Amino acid sequence: MRTDVQLASKLFRGLADPTRLAILEALAEAGELRITDLCDRLDGSQSTISGHVRCLKDCGLVTDRPEGRQVFYRISGPEVV
C-alpha cells in the first residue's frame, strides 16, 4: 500500500471518534494538558483517555513533552486545528 494512503488512513482513524475529537478540542483550547487534566475535562477514565491519546499520537495529531514525572500533551501543529 502507498505511504500517502496509509497516512491518510491514520488521520481519518484519529478523527473518527467523538472522544478523540473532544481531546483535540480541549488541547486546542488549553495548549497543553496532562492525561489527568483531560480526564477531568472529559469526565473519562484514565485508561480510556490514555488509549485515545495514544491513538492520536500514533496518527501524528498529538505530541508530548515530558517534564519530570509528568507528560504534557499538545496538538502537533497548527494544521491540525
Side-chain angles (χ1 to χ4, degrees):
M1 189 178 300
R2 293 187 347 235
T3 304
D4 57 336
V5 172
Q6 290 173 324
L7 287 172
S9 174
K10 280 186 171 185
L11 172 66
F12 287 115
R13 178 175 172 248
L15 298 174
D17 184 273
T19 302
R20 290 193 286 269
L21 288 175
I23 290 169
L24 289 173
E25 182 178 54
L27 292 173
E29 290 173 1
E32 286 188 328
L33 293 169
R34 302 168 300 161
I35 294 293
T36 55
D37 301 324
L38 288 165
C39 291
D40 291 343
R41 284 177 178 241
L42 304 176
D43 196 31
S45 71
Q46 184 174 355
S47 62
T48 299
I49 299 299
S50 292
H52 285 301
V53 169
R54 188 176 325 110
C55 176
L56 290 168
K57 266 187 77 175
D58 290 345
C59 296
L61 299 172
V62 168
T63 187
D64 62 359
R65 178 182 64 83
E67 185 177 298
R69 294 179 58 194
Q70 302 180 74
V71 179
F72 291 86
Y73 296 92
R74 65 182 177 276
I75 292 178
S76 61
E79 65 278 357
V80 174
V81 178

